[in-house]
Amino acid sequence: MGRKNAPFLVRVTGILEEDGELLIIQQKMSDGRKWYLPGGQLEAGETIEQGIVREMREETGLHVECKELLAISDTNFSDPCALHILLRVKRLTGAIHVPHCTYDTVEITDVQFVPFDMLKSYGFSDRFVSMVKDGFPLASRYICLLYTSPSPRD
């Protein structure tokens, strides 16, 4: 039987909090934002845990362990659609550094911890900042569409 294309991409994203700060990365993506959470697409044959450990190492230089599922959400603005898995991670070893461009097609230009109160100035939504400050009270939940684009009828 032939292999079918997946109806969606699977992306893993890491939440690493230390001393009231959140680890974020700077990339110049096509959506106009500059700051993001570290993470990326799962590779073929990779588990969710393997994927987030790899992405965090590649994008931040840190070796982490996966601690908790925080949320699952989806998007409909890309083709194929993307399923996002948000995971709380804990640093095991390493120091943050800006990676070489060998892992990402879009260069990461900065990696830093940012105080929760400053996240909005880095482009994160009020909803997201509230979730971070409240410790993700709805952990292990489906959040519905995280981002939407106008429907073809609009």
Side-chain angles (χ1 to χ4, degrees), residues 38-145:
Q41 186 174 329
L42 284 184
E43 294 181 354
E46 203 170 42
T47 67
I48 292 167
E49 184 174 10
Q50 289 168 337
I52 195 59
V53 168
R54 176 186 51 77
E55 286 290 342
M56 293 294 292
R57 185 184 66 251
E58 289 176 357
E59 294 188 351
T60 70
L62 301 178
H63 181 71
V64 302
E65 67 178 343
C66 185
K67 297 302 286 182
E68 175 184 20
L69 170 66
L70 293 176
I72 296 174
S73 62
D74 50 11
T75 58
N76 67 353
F77 63 83
S78 62
D79 185 18
C81 294
L83 177 68
H84 293 265
I85 302 172
L86 186 64
L87 302 157
R88 185 182 318 271
V89 298
K90 177 183 176 187
R91 180 192 325 209
L92 297 177
T93 61
I96 62 172
H97 71 272
V98 176
H100 298 291
C101 196
T102 55
Y103 300 116
D104 281 286
T105 56
V106 179
E107 182 182 10
I108 295 171
T109 55
D110 199 1
V111 180
Q112 61 181 270
F113 279 98
V114 173
F116 296 165
D117 290 336
M118 297 293 298
L119 288 170
K120 185 155 175 58
S121 67
Y122 285 81
F124 292 91
S125 70
D126 289 329
R127 180 181 179 194
F128 178 76
V129 173
S130 292
M131 287 191 304
V132 171
K133 286 180 177 180
D134 294 341
F136 292 89
L138 299 177
S140 302
R141 298 285 202 299
Y142 172 66
I143 300 181
C144 302
L145 288 174

